[in-house]
Every structure is written in C-alpha cells, then in structure tokens.
Amino acid sequence: MTAQSSRLFRCFAILSALSWTTRAAPVTTPPTFRLPTPLNATFSVGSQVFKLVDDSRVDPFNATEKRAVEITVSYPSISQGGGACPNGTSFAPYMPTLMAGLLDKSLGIPDGTFESISTDTCLGAPPVSLAQRKLIIFSPGLGASRLLYQVYTTALAAHGYVVVSVDHPYDAEVVEYPDGRLVFAAPINDSSNTDITRVVDTRVQDIQFVLNEVCGNGNLTQGIAVDCGVRKVGMFGHSLGGATTADMTIVDQRIAGGINLDGTFFPTQSGPDVSPDTPFLVFASEGHNGTVDATYADWYKVAGDNASPRVMITVKGAVHDTFTDFPILVKLLGVPETDLTADERAELGTIDGYRISEILQVYLKAAFDLVLLNEVNGMEGLFNTGNQTFPELEVVDEKP
C-alpha cells in the first residue's frame, strides 16, 4: 500500500515554470495578491498562529526534544467594512517570511513572490463575539504544510466555525515556528507501511493533544468558547490527513464527523477504517477508486447495517493536488491556461481552479452544518446521485 504524497516542493514545482522570470518581462517587485474572499461569507475572519509543546511526549523523529506542533486558529471576527481589517490589524501573510523566501529561492522565482501573497484573514482581529461555536480540526497531506489549504479553512471560519489547522513537524516538508526556527522533513518512505503507520499514529497523537489544548485554553481561540463534548467536533484532512481523520473517528469520541479529501486509509489498529458511529464523506480524484486503491473498495461497507451515513464522491477532472490551494494560487498569479504544458496541467487537473474551490466550499460547509449543527439548509440533495448543480461530481458509494 502506497501513500499519496503531497510533498510541498513537488506541489509548488509547477510555479517555477510559471514564474514571471520565464513567462513575462522581468520584475524586481512582484505584485500583491490576496486569496479570494470565501463564497457567501457570513463573517470576516481573524487568525492567530501558535506553537504548542506536548511535554508528555518525546518527538518520535527527534529524540532530543519534546514533540511540538504549529497551529493556525481561524475564527469569525469583527469587520472594519470595505474589505479592510480592523484598526491595528492587517491581512495575514500566506506564509511566514523565511519559509516564503526559501520557496522563492528553491523555485528560482523573484524574491518576495510568496511574501506578496496574503490570506483573507486579519491577523489577531477581535472575534465577532465570545459565544460558543463549533470546532473543526484540519490535517494536511504527507509532506504538505497546513498553509496550503487556507482557502478552505478560511471559508469554514467565515461561516461561523472555529477552525484549527495543524502542521506535523518532520513529516511536513518544512515548518517555520513563530520564533523563526525552521524544521525540515525527516526521511520518510511513503511506500513503507511501517513508516506511514508511524506517521499516522504520531499525527493522531498530535491532533488529540491539540484538541486538549484548544478545548482547555480560551487564549488559543481569542476567548471564544468551543464545544468539545462527545461527538461535537468536526475534522477533515487531505491525503494522509484524510487517513488521520478516519483514525481519529475511532480513537477519539469527540469527533462527530469526518471528511477525507482523496486520502488512502491507513488504520493504525485492527478493525474498521472509520468508526461505525461517525458520519463520513470521501472526496476522490477522478480514477481514485477501489480498483487502484483497495482501501476505497470497502471502507463504507465494513461498518454494518446500523452504521452512520457515509458517502464517496468522485470529482471529474480532479487529481490529488486539486484539493489544495494550488489551483487557486495559479489562477491568482494570472497564468493563462494556454501557457500550461501537458505536465503542468497534469499537476493541476482539468477542472477549473475556481470551480473546484466553489465545490469544496459548498460541500465542506454543507457536511459540517449537517453533522455539527443538524442543519440541512436545503442541501440534502448534494449527497445524492444525480446532482444537477455540480455535474462534475459522481456519487459512487452511498450508505444512507
């Protein structure tokens, strides 16, 4: 069984071919870009970044230190109006300075390119209220940074959720802590079940630690109360983050429902891939099915007749990295589709970047509204066969 890696530098390698130095007149200062405002946003979004240290664990990849993780907390915030951040705050950078510069140099693109991209969240903005809100956890793909999924974590926060995205050091290609320290990936063989099982097990422990910290420390959520009871927390992840989400449904009763974005299942214990008590949704790239991935053949069947709802949806024209910010970043940089080579298109998939962003924003919100808030909002047809709103989608497995 082979994990589908989303190695950060492989994912961004296409941008070196699309850089201004090769496709346009040389520039000394790249233009400024901001991620698109979330679809039908209810709230503006604030964000904070924290390093959390788990004193109870030695890092399995570095025995000289305690295990630490980095998180971004996104939450509904007050708005200044007019698309501006409240006084004293500014739009959060897409990635921190050293990491951005490292990518610029690695890809041979103009200095300051990645520093020129900002999110649509205001760093440290006051929350819209301190009323209790539902919590969603996100785990990225193997080798990928949590920062590559900010379109979707921001979108959920814009609809009222507190969203915590987690970096897993030493399996992420690079993590930059708030103090500027860089941590690079350990040698992990993504074709080794032993290595991948160890990574998933470490990730599960990371997520449980983060849940304990976020649920017990209001300072991490800007004072917003979050609901951390049994079956009260949502979780989603891409690639190995999707496998981590599935494992969390089994080992932690706080998880109410999960979403796996194109990830092979890697259970770290015997038994079902997903808890029979937890609703679960899988989004799969085109061609990712039980024929090429045995874990997709029966994950929804093993739970039994009384299991919670579970659905698998295939996205036509999608490839593995379609489920990151990657297609939006290429659109944001204004690269014409006609300029893409066949290999570059293969990395992006054939589905339009803004279209896949719309689909995922709609489905992530609908799924978590249903599981965490028990709200249907007229969206129940999204999970049935024959959806006319999004003809690119095919419900291939469904357990009502």
Side-chain angles (χ1 to χ4, degrees):
M1 195 182 300
T2 301
Q4 286 180 292
S5 299
S6 280
R7 288 290 181 188
L8 179 63
F9 290 103
R10 182 181 67 81
C11 183
F12 273 111
I14 185 175
L15 290 181
S16 64
L18 303 180
S19 69
W20 291 286
T21 57
T22 58
R23 297 274 173 95
V27 293
T28 55
T29 303
T32 300
F33 302 96
R34 194 167 86 222
L35 293 185
T37 299
L39 185 69
N40 300 321
T42 304
F43 301 100
S44 296
V45 177
S47 64
Q48 289 274 53
V49 176
F50 300 95
K51 176 185 178 182
L52 304 178
V53 179
D54 185 353
D55 290 324
S56 71
R57 285 191 294 157
V58 173
D59 196 303
F61 302 102
N62 184 347
T64 67
E65 60 185 24
K66 296 294 186 179
R67 180 65 175 171
V69 296
E70 188 168 44
I71 65 172
T72 297
V73 181
S74 304
Y75 52 89
S77 71
I78 64 172
S79 173
Q80 182 73 16
C85 287
N87 289 338
T89 68
S90 58
F91 287 108
Y94 188 72
M95 59 181 57
T97 302
L98 292 179
M99 189 171 170
L102 187 67
L103 279 170
D104 288 344
K105 288 181 172 55
S106 173
L107 300 177
I109 60 181
D111 289 344
T113 296
F114 278 99
E115 266 196 291
S116 73
I117 303 173
S118 72
T119 69
D120 197 53
T121 73
C122 296
L123 191 61
V128 70
S129 77
L130 300 183
Q132 187 179 72
R133 295 190 178 275
K134 296 295 185 180
L135 174 65
I136 297 173
I137 304 292
F138 174 77
S139 180
L142 175 65
S145 167
R146 75 192 192 285
L147 304 174
L148 292 177
Y149 306 86
Q150 293 182 85
V151 168
Y152 304 110
T153 55
T154 301
L156 287 166
H159 290 290
Y161 292 102
V162 173
V163 184
V164 179
S165 56
V166 183
D167 260 346
H168 304 280
Y170 296 106
D171 96 44
E173 198 76 54
V174 61
V175 174
E176 181 179 339
Y177 287 127
D179 63 3
R181 180 192 171 202
L182 293 172
V183 176
F184 295 94
I188 296 169
N189 181 356
D190 62 6
S191 297
S192 164
N193 281 355
T194 300
D195 278 13
I196 295 303
T197 298
R198 181 173 70 138
V199 169
V200 174
D201 185 63
T202 301
R203 283 166 165 250
V204 167
Q205 293 178 62
D206 288 347
I207 299 298
Q208 290 186 295
F209 166 65
V210 168
L211 269 174
N212 293 340
E213 292 293 297
V214 170
C215 294
N217 185 350
N219 291 331
L220 297 178
T221 58
Q222 290 285 81
I224 301 171
V226 289
D227 191 351
C228 295
V230 174
R231 305 297 182 210
K232 297 296 184 181
V233 177
M235 184 171 172
F236 73 116
H238 173 233
S239 195
L240 206 65
T244 305
T245 300
D247 266 34
M248 278 293 295
T249 68
I250 297 171
V251 304
D252 199 310
Q253 291 189 333
R254 289 172 290 189
I255 303 302
I259 301 173
N260 175 0
L261 302 176
D262 206 42
T264 293
F265 291 95
F266 283 94
T268 56
Q269 64 290 305
S270 60
D273 293 329
V274 180
S275 167
D277 302 318
T278 309
F280 206 82
L281 170 65
V282 171
F283 263 95
S285 56
E286 186 171 4
H288 189 185
N289 53 43
T291 301
V292 298
D293 182 348
T295 72
Y296 270 36
D298 58 8
W299 72 272
Y300 64 99
K301 298 177 182 177
V302 296
D305 292 338
N306 297 321
S308 295
R310 48 209 59 222
V311 178
M312 186 163 86
I313 299 174
T314 295
V315 185
K316 297 175 183 176
V319 295
H320 193 56
D321 285 333
T322 299
F323 299 96
T324 69
D325 288 350
F326 188 38
I328 287 293
L329 291 174
V330 172
K331 287 281 189 179
L332 200 65
L333 296 177
V335 178
E337 186 175 343
T338 53
D339 281 4
L340 300 177
T341 68
D343 287 344
E344 291 164 357
R345 283 194 295 271
E347 290 290 334
L348 288 170
T350 57
I351 188 168
D352 179 78
Y354 290 126
R355 180 61 168 174
I356 187 61
S357 175
E358 176 188 5
I359 289 170
L360 290 180
Q361 288 187 55
V362 167
Y363 272 84
L364 289 170
K365 178 183 183 299
F368 286 124
D369 282 356
L370 182 61
V371 170
L372 298 179
L373 304 175
N374 198 29
E375 294 181 1
V376 177
N377 298 324
M379 295 293 185
E380 62 272 19
L382 291 176
F383 303 100
N384 299 327
T385 304
N387 178 358
Q388 299 301 310
T389 305
F390 298 108
E392 305 93 332
L393 307 184
E394 179 184 3
V395 178
V396 293
D397 289 314
E398 180 179 5
K399 187 185 189 327

